Amino acid sequence: MNKLDFLSAAYGLPVADLRAEYARLGALKVNMITPSLYGSGVTELASTLNEYFLELGLKSRWAAIEAEQRFFVLSKKMTEALSLSFNSITREELEEFKNLSYSLKVPSDCDILYMHDFHALIAAEKIKNVKKVYRCHFDISRANAEVWNFLKPYIEACDGIIFTSPESHPPLGRRVNYILPSIDPCSVKNTFVDKPEREKVLRNFNIPSNVPLVLQVSRFDRVKDPFGLIDVFKEVSKSVPSVLVYAGGFAPDDVNASALYEELKKYAAGRRDIVLLSINRHNYEIAALQSAADVVVQKSFSESFGLSVTEALWKGKPVAASDVGGIRLQIINNKTGLLCRDNEDFALAVTRLLYDKSLAKRLAAEGKRLVTEKFLITRELKNHTEIFKKIV
């Protein structure tokens, strides 16, 4: 049984209509490009789309940008300026990024070049007779003006522009399409792992199973407020003996992640109840940790959507998350989870969910229902047919 048939049989999703819509597109050639091949929600989503595009009859390919280290140093500075608004990059560095971009190899043997995030935008300028789609995967509503104005002409030159929501970006002079991300219920990462198997994973990582588990899954990135997360847990642990697991990874395009990981280990000060895990490409282990968690946290300064929230809700877990960006599309306060504005809010919310099992159970059930209705892959695949039909 292929994935679409499984989704139809298991969840009653309308895959026949989806197949018919993709059949109208014909054997469309789509080349997707991402900053890296692993280590982020962007790469997971691109991998999932590529697999389903192929199953639906498109000639789809997915590749990562190949560039020298300096390119990724500069792109990381630009990402921080776009998502956190501060200006950490000079005009000279932006020009250097542009010059490095012209040497990138971007696939052109396609009908649609689908660029996930901004890294290939400038390189794509030299490609003719190919439709170009740009999709932004992070919240740039408070973007640094200089960096935004530098990228804006390249974005507006694309045939299709995709953001998560109207609130996630500054104004553009072109029509924008909106697609909410989604999860694939068929993936290993979105499997609910039974207790005996998940306890094996806990033992392998030396995580105690005799106290409640508080979990955050996200990149080692300052935008995820990891220091604030540790501060919150220190408060929670005064009331409820528990363990915090921060499971993250190092994407090849993120040149700062390793140094931040070392900083966090020092900040945790050797506490046995704070576990920092660097686990790239360990989807089963992430699934086991999410399945074992008593409370899942997503503490971020900025978040376009937050697939780690979706994954936790899908597994029926109570979630406390930052009241920012696309998280608000998933967490309806006191209905599908708890929204938090600061460290004090977080500490109270996590403590409340650990103590009040009936509340945690109610929120988790509503959260799973919301994901089933709005955030599964079939909805996102349908969104793509609407955009592809417009531009080809």
Side-chain angles (χ1 to χ4, degrees):
M1 180 183 292
N2 60 36
K3 283 190 170 187
L4 287 170
D5 288 338
F6 175 81
L7 292 175
S8 177
Y11 306 110
L13 300 178
V15 301
D17 293 344
L18 195 60
R19 283 195 173 103
E21 290 192 46
Y22 273 83
R24 295 187 189 101
L25 292 172
L28 199 65
K29 288 184 179 180
V30 179
N31 282 353
M32 289 194 292
I33 190 163
T34 55
S36 65
L37 283 179
Y38 63 89
S40 70
V42 176
T43 56
E44 290 177 22
L45 187 55
S47 174
T48 299
L49 286 173
N50 185 61
E51 191 172 354
Y52 278 98
F53 284 165
L54 288 168
E55 189 171 321
L56 286 162
L58 301 188
K59 294 180 179 179
S60 181
R61 289 192 297 175
W62 167 45
I65 288 173
E66 295 181 8
E68 59 183 86
Q69 183 76 350
R70 181 62 179 166
F71 175 87
F72 293 115
V73 169
L74 295 172
S75 66
K76 179 62 178 179
K77 285 188 172 187
M78 293 171 68
T79 298
E80 290 179 341
L82 290 167
S83 60
L84 297 175
S85 77
F86 60 78
N87 189 3
S88 63
I89 188 166
T90 66
R91 167 55 58 177
E92 290 73 23
E93 287 175 320
L94 289 174
E95 289 301 315
E96 184 183 359
F97 175 81
K98 180 191 288 187
N99 292 332
L100 289 170
S101 294
Y102 286 138
S103 65
L104 298 181
K105 294 181 179 178
V106 179
S108 58
D109 56 333
C110 56
D111 301 304
I112 295 174
L113 176 62
Y114 189 150
M115 295 171 283
H116 293 269
D117 287 330
F118 66 85
H119 301 66
L121 274 171
I122 296 173
E125 185 183 37
K126 61 190 176 186
I127 298 174
K128 308 301 178 185
N129 301 318
V130 168
K131 300 295 184 180
K132 298 163 193 172
V133 172
Y134 161 71
R135 184 174 184 180
C136 182
H137 288 280
F138 51 100
D139 184 351
I140 60 172
S141 58
R142 297 171 295 167
N144 172 269
E146 186 174 14
V147 178
W148 169 248
N149 289 330
F150 172 78
L151 288 174
K152 186 177 177 182
Y154 301 103
I155 296 171
E156 291 182 335
C158 292
D159 301 280
I161 303 168
I162 304 172
F163 281 91
T164 300
S165 69
E167 294 75 31
S168 67
H169 66 92
L172 278 162
R174 285 280 315 281
R175 180 179 178 182
V176 176
N177 302 281
Y178 298 104
I179 296 182
L180 294 172
S182 65
I183 61 168
D184 177 12
C186 300
S187 73
V188 170
K189 193 175 183 184
N190 290 311
T191 301
F192 186 84
V193 179
D194 291 334
K195 187 173 181 178
E197 294 302 313
R198 66 192 189 225
E199 287 191 343
K200 289 180 185 177
V201 173
L202 294 180
R203 286 195 297 272
N204 287 342
F205 290 126
N206 296 314
I207 300 169
S209 59
N210 61 337
V211 292
L213 170 59
V214 179
L215 174 70
Q216 176 157 314
V217 176
S218 59
R219 305 186 314 275
F220 291 113
D221 192 318
R222 292 182 191 277
V223 77
K224 307 299 181 181
D225 192 17
F227 298 100
L229 174 67
I230 290 174
D231 290 340
V232 165
F233 178 74
K234 288 176 179 177
E235 287 300 311
V236 171
S237 64
K238 292 176 183 178
S239 303
V240 187
S242 48
V243 60
L244 169 68
V245 175
Y246 183 174
F250 307 110
D253 62 303
D254 190 342
V255 296
N256 298 336
S258 295
L260 178 59
Y261 178 66
E262 295 303 319
E263 283 186 57
L264 289 170
K265 286 198 292 186
K266 292 178 182 177
Y267 197 73
R271 289 181 55 148
R272 291 188 176 183
D273 59 353
I274 299 177
V275 181
L276 303 174
L277 295 179
S278 171
I279 45 176
N280 276 329
R281 300 182 176 183
H282 287 67
N283 286 339
Y284 179 78
E285 286 77 6
I286 292 294
L289 291 171
Q290 290 172 329
S291 300
D294 292 275
V295 176
V296 173
V297 176
Q298 187 58 57
K299 195 172 193 309
S300 301
F301 291 123
S302 174
E303 202 73 65
S304 177
F305 187 69
L307 280 172
S308 58
V309 172
T310 328
E311 293 161 2
L313 294 175
W314 174 246
K315 294 181 182 71
K317 296 296 171 176
V319 176
S322 295
D323 187 8
V324 296
I327 288 177
R328 300 187 187 109
L329 301 172
Q330 304 181 68
I331 300 298
I332 303 167
N333 198 35
N334 285 310
K335 183 177 180 181
T336 63
L338 298 178
L339 288 174
C340 308
R341 294 184 180 273
D342 53 30
N343 285 11
E344 184 179 0
D345 266 5
F346 262 102
L348 289 171
V350 174
T351 302
R352 185 181 172 199
L353 291 172
L354 290 173
Y355 269 125
D356 192 339
K357 301 300 183 184
S358 62
L359 170 67
K361 185 176 180 180
R362 174 176 64 79
L363 296 178
E366 287 297 323
K368 184 176 178 66
R369 185 175 296 113
L370 180 70
V371 173
T372 305
E373 291 174 356
K374 294 188 175 181
F375 302 127
L376 298 186
I377 186 64
T378 45
R379 187 268 307 150
E380 186 173 357
L381 289 167
K382 184 178 188 302
N383 293 156
H384 277 84
T385 62
E386 295 161 359
I387 294 173
F388 291 164
K389 282 188 288 188
K390 289 178 189 174
I391 67 174
V392 296

